[in-house]
Amino acid sequence: MEIAFYLSGFIAVLATILVIVNPNPVHALMYLVTSLLAVACVFFTLGAPFAAALEVIVYAGAIMVLFVFVVMMLNLGETVTQQEQAWLKPSVWIGPGILCALLLFPLMRLMLGGEHTPAGVTEVGAKAVGVSLYGPYLLAVELASMMLTAGLVAAYHLGKQD
């Protein structure tokens, strides 16, 4: 369990550094998704499977959908089509693919091996997450949702063509 925790943490830090230093936004997004998957593995090893599932569904899934939405909204034409064809080359996805494969092996060993002793003290369930989010952190959750909505409206107005 500790090996999976440290390996996931190392991959999360490495992928996050690659997000920051990568000049290509698509490559950076691939590394960001890899980093989010690694953080989900960290949550799983700490005994919070619900938080790990939320990390994958909300962050990794939503970020990919948001990126595709922005590309569709901006509608950049022929250059985007050529760039999308360039994204299919192995040089784009080989780095994140290797990091995700490194995450897959300890996670599958944990899930299939029956060793479910969390590294943390207690397991965090869905009810505890809900009580925390909508209890003392209610204002922070609502402010974050309003900021995301404002960002979406700003992206629409900045991206629309006159």
Side-chain angles (χ1 to χ4, degrees), residues 1-5 41-49 110 114-125:
M1 188 63 85
E2 288 183 21
I3 293 172
F5 174 78
C41 289
V42 168
F43 283 146
F44 184 76
T45 59
L46 289 176
L110 288 172
E115 181 187 332
H116 291 292
T117 307
V121 178
T122 59
E123 185 169 322
V124 179

Side-chain angles (χ1 to χ4, degrees), residues 43-44 47-56 123-130 133:
F43 283 146
F44 184 76
F50 181 70
L54 283 179
E55 180 82 20
V56 170
E123 185 169 322
V124 179
K127 184 176 181 179
V129 172
L133 284 179

Side-chain angles (χ1 to χ4, degrees), residues 85-103:
Q85 290 173 348
W87 294 344
L88 298 175
K89 294 180 183 174
S91 62
V92 173
W93 52 265
I94 195 76
I98 290 172
L99 292 177
C100 286
L102 286 174
L103 282 175

